[in-house]
Amino acid sequence: MKSLFFSYNTKVDKAYIIRVKGNENSEEQALKCATTCNQVNMPFQFWDAYDGISGDIIVPNHHNSLMSMMKVTDHYLTRGEVACALSHISLWAKCVEQDQPLVILEHDAVMVAPYEQHAVFNSIAYLGSNEQVKQGWGVYATPPHASEGPNYHFICRAHAYGIDPAVAKNMLAHVLKFGISAPLDIILRADIFPIHQMGIFAYDIKEFKPKTTELNTTILGRPIEGRKTDRNDKLSV
């Protein structure tokens, strides 16, 4: 039988690599990410994403009744942005359900060290960034934040982070109450959810499409800068 009490387990279950099943680009990058996990002995599992690449959002086999409760409250989000958010939220739910910390990796992440213990209770553990690995940015207990203004800071890209059940529960409660109100990284506001860093365990590859300055991403329709200005009033799964 499963205990009704919190376990306060700090041992990380494994890394979950989010991939868009059937998408050649996503599956290729996910395999590269998995290779880096193997190289540092980080247990991992592929996690099928919600697919917002074309038409209605396609749900993965792990879609459940809790995920059916999620609603979108920003009409300017693209299908890709909503699908990305749903993919991450489904892993927040898994973290709460199994009552054990886990690592979330987007398919363009590179694992450079195993993240085995989640030492920051009720906090997101930021695992590192391209800027820290490639440009020598400092590593501090409070990691770099992204910003849409001086008073609105959030996680600097949600490509690689660890969570425990305590913070995952609060993240789930937030989106249940307020809906998917922004792109995933902007939802993870630093003034609402603690974000800490204990070292560099992973970073993201900034891969551009050939002969362009456009990032190679499966979040189609997301502008390089700013937000979309045309409404998206038809979203369904």
Side-chain angles (χ1 to χ4, degrees), residues 203-216:
Y203 69 97
D204 54 319
I205 297 175
K206 288 187 174 180
E207 186 177 89
F208 296 89
K209 292 182 178 179
K211 299 180 180 180
T212 73
T213 58
E214 184 180 352
L215 286 172
N216 192 4

Side-chain angles (χ1 to χ4, degrees), residues 85 92 174-175 179-189 192-193:
W92 304 349
H174 181 83
V175 291
I180 300 173
S181 56
L184 186 278
D185 49 352
I186 298 179
I187 288 175
L188 296 180
R189 286 173 48 178
I192 299 176
F193 308 108

Side-chain angles (χ1 to χ4, degrees), residues 30 42 49 61 64 120-121 147 151 161 167 187 195 207 231:
M42 182 70 197
N61 290 334
N64 55 36
V120 281
F121 178 71
S147 174
N151 296 314
Y161 62 101
V167 76
I187 288 175
I195 307 173
E207 186 177 89
R231 288 176 63 93

Side-chain angles (χ1 to χ4, degrees), residues 149-167:
N151 296 314
Y152 190 20
H153 287 206
F154 46 89
I155 194 169
C156 184
R157 300 187 302 279
H159 51 273
Y161 62 101
I163 52 175
D164 68 352
V167 76

Side-chain angles (χ1 to χ4, degrees), residues 78-97:
T78 69
R79 284 180 174 81
E81 287 175 320
V82 172
C84 174
L86 288 169
S87 302
H88 282 255
I89 292 166
S90 67
L91 281 167
W92 304 349
K94 181 170 184 61
C95 180
V96 173
E97 180 184 13

